Amino acid sequence: IIPYSAQDWSRSLEFLKQSEHHLSKFQADPVRLQSIYAAMIPAYYSLKNLDEGLENCNKILELCKTSGETECIADAYAGIGKIFEERKMLKDALKAYQEAEKYEVKYFGKDHPHTQATAEKILELQQYFTRKELKRSLKNSQKLDCDHQKNK
């Protein structure tokens, strides 16, 4: 799709929705529908249609359950992670990225750029939570020191 490669997300989404409609109309192979839904993820995210993007990712997961085909699961979980991260739901984002990584390793291998990018996101979020916990511990420690000083 030319608009997709040119990152004309509105037109890309329009073409993808038309494809989805035609495939759904003819009860197409679920794997093809999964691929279309997976291609919609960057468009929804870029257009900030996060609710529709999340709904789209959940459609992929549902199709995977019913069809048994799991190839697009990594895309769905990575999309969910990105949406949750955008919404500042960082614990949920971390869980989604971890799920995505499991499937990326399975389908692409550990050294694939997609897997590496997801691993970096996971590390970034884990470091964020570690720093946050350290700050909380330091704050509690300082409070205890102040309380101890008052009691002297």
Side-chain angles (χ1 to χ4, degrees):
I1 296 173
I2 294 169
Y4 190 85
S5 64
Q7 294 187 353
D8 182 348
W9 298 118
S10 294
R11 285 189 56 214
S12 297
L13 202 50
E14 182 182 320
F15 287 129
L16 290 165
K17 284 182 177 184
Q18 288 173 6
S19 298
E20 172 200 15
H21 173 73
H22 292 299
L23 285 173
S24 297
K25 190 174 172 180
F26 297 108
Q27 297 179 343
D29 177 15
V31 177
R32 289 181 190 213
L33 276 173
Q34 286 173 238
S35 296
I36 288 176
Y37 291 139
M40 290 178 175
I41 294 170
Y44 280 125
Y45 183 80
S46 296
L47 294 169
K48 301 295 184 204
N49 294 348
L50 302 182
D51 289 335
E52 290 179 69
L54 191 57
E55 184 180 311
N56 185 67
C57 291
N58 285 320
K59 285 180 187 178
I60 294 171
L61 295 176
E62 192 59 39
L63 276 172
C64 290
K65 285 180 189 174
T66 57
S67 72
E69 190 61 48
T70 59
E71 196 168 320
C72 291
I73 288 181
D75 292 328
Y77 279 119
I80 291 168
K82 203 167 186 177
I83 290 167
F84 283 157
E85 190 174 4
E86 179 74 19
R87 289 182 170 171
K88 306 295 184 220
M89 300 168 64
L90 300 181
K91 287 183 181 181
D92 293 327
L94 177 59
K95 289 176 190 173
Y97 285 134
Q98 288 170 329
E99 285 299 311
E101 185 184 40
K102 287 179 196 176
Y103 289 94
E104 288 171 347
V105 168
K106 178 179 177 181
Y107 286 103
F108 306 127
K110 288 175 97 174
D111 296 327
H112 190 277
H114 288 298
T115 310
Q116 292 297 314
T118 302
E120 286 175 26
K121 275 292 187 192
I122 291 169
L123 182 61
E124 181 183 304
L125 287 170
Q126 287 172 333
Q127 288 172 340
Y128 166 80
F129 287 118
T130 300
R131 284 190 307 271
K132 190 174 175 181
E133 184 59 37
L134 286 172
K135 285 180 184 178
R136 188 180 353 216
S137 293
L138 182 59
K139 188 176 179 180
N140 288 340
S141 175
Q142 289 172 341
K143 184 178 181 228
L144 287 173
D145 279 348
C146 287
D147 289 345
H148 181 70
Q149 292 296 328
K150 287 179 187 177
N151 291 334
K152 279 188 170 182

